[in-house]
Amino acid sequence: AYVKAERYLKESLKDPDSYEEILESHHLIKNGERAGQYEVLLQYRAKNSFNGYVVGSKLFYFDKNVNFIDVKDFEVPKLNKQ
């Protein structure tokens, strides 16, 4: 699922070669309406249309056969520094 999510994400970027992974997490969902699906979280840096780097996060869902179901923007919670 991770490989498919990364490929899908890179294909959607303005400059796929600028892709830099920051965080990757994946697991099989065991409970709820998405039980049995794979969830992949990718946080990344990539160039935008103005040639500047932006940080983004996407949450991908795949079925048990690793067929793409859905993708959503995801905001990674910021840690409080004290």
Side-chain angles (χ1 to χ4, degrees):
Y2 164 74
V3 172
K4 285 188 174 187
E6 185 180 51
R7 184 179 317 130
Y8 180 93
L9 176 58
K10 284 183 177 181
E11 289 173 358
S12 72
L13 296 174
K14 298 282 184 189
D15 182 356
D17 292 333
S18 70
Y19 172 83
E20 298 174 16
E21 185 178 290
I22 297 171
L23 172 77
E24 180 271 330
S25 175
H26 62 277
H27 68 277
L28 177 64
I29 300 170
K30 296 183 180 179
N31 299 311
E33 68 180 54
R34 290 195 180 269
Q37 295 180 4
Y38 292 99
E39 182 177 72
V40 178
L41 170 64
L42 293 176
Q43 185 178 39
Y44 61 94
R45 284 175 24 111
K47 286 184 181 178
N48 62 14
S49 299
F50 301 105
N51 217 25
Y53 277 88
V54 294
V55 174
S57 300
K58 301 279 186 193
L59 199 53
F60 295 85
Y61 295 96
F62 297 88
D63 68 15
K64 65 181 179 180
N65 296 315
V66 196
N67 295 308
F68 175 79
I69 296 173
D70 194 15
V71 61
K72 297 179 179 185
D73 288 326
F74 182 78
E75 188 171 329
V76 176
K78 293 184 169 84
L79 298 175
N80 288 335
K81 294 183 181 180
Q82 295 185 12

